[in-house]
């Protein structure tokens, strides 16, 4: 199974790919670590973001996308652009997309901690939340 973890931050969708085959994890190389949007109020740019994300998932034959859920209220609430990006990803035809809460991620990591430290994965530091989302979900 190939899964893509997504952390929405500002105008970016930070991604991390992860595969599980015969009990062995692999972090495939990916041509991009994040997909950004300049102006989320521009319809053409939103369509381009959606197309770019969809094309990336097709190119890497991703079976499932998991987005880390953000709070809707309070001090740590997600911004409007992030919610627009989430909707754009969720509305891609033929792509299975799930939104996973922080509590579910924490519980999954508690039950099945990653076998290696994040630094050993070779991913960029800002990809850690996306990787943890993918790992917690693939271990469910």
């Amino acid at each position: 199974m190939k899964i893509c973890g997504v952390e929405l931050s500002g105008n970016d969708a930070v991604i991390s790919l992860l595969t599980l085959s015969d009990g062995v994890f692999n972090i495939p190389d990916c041509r991009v670590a994040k997909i950004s949007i300049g102006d989320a109020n521009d319809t053409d740019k939103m369509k381009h973001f959606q197309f770019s994300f969809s094309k990336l998932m097709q190119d890497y034959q991703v079976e499932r996308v998991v987005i880390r859920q953000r709070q809707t209220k309070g001090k740590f609430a997600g911004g409007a652009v992030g919610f627009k990006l989430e909707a754009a990803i969720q509305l891609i035809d033929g792509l299975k997309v799930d939104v996973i809460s922080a509590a579910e991620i924490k519980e999954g990591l508690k039950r099945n901690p990653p076998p290696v430290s994040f630094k050993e994965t070779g991913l960029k530091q800002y990809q850690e939340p996306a990787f943890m989302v993918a790992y917690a979900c693939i271990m469910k």
Side-chain angles (χ1 to χ4, degrees), residues 18 27-28 32 49 53-55 57 59 65 70 77 80 112 130:
L18 186 63
I27 301 171
V32 296
F49 170 84
F53 194 92
S54 176
K55 181 70 173 146
M57 297 301 107
D59 291 351
V65 174
R70 286 144 317 113
N112 299 301

Side-chain angles (χ1 to χ4, degrees), residues 11-12 35-42 45-46 48-49 81 85:
N11 290 4
D12 303 320
I35 301 174
S36 301
I37 186 167
D39 181 9
N41 293 320
D42 184 334
K45 289 185 179 172
M46 282 298 293
H48 182 265
F49 170 84
V81 173
L85 297 181

Side-chain angles (χ1 to χ4, degrees), residues 62-84:
V62 173
E63 299 167 39
R64 185 175 177 200
V65 174
V66 184
I67 302 172
R68 184 175 176 270
Q69 184 179 34
R70 286 144 317 113
Q71 294 181 3
T72 56
K73 298 185 226 174
K75 183 178 179 180
F76 300 105
V81 173
F83 288 109
K84 289 176 87 169

Side-chain angles (χ1 to χ4, degrees), residues 9 22-23 28 43 57 71 78 84 89 105 110 114 121 132-134:
S9 175
D22 298 324
T43 303
M57 297 301 107
Q71 294 181 3
K84 289 176 87 169
I89 294 168
I105 296 166
K110 184 178 173 184
T121 64
M132 292 302 175
V133 169

Side-chain angles (χ1 to χ4, degrees), residues 21-22 30 47 60 91 129 135:
S21 179
D22 298 324
C30 187
K47 287 180 181 178
Y60 287 95
L91 294 174
Y135 181 80

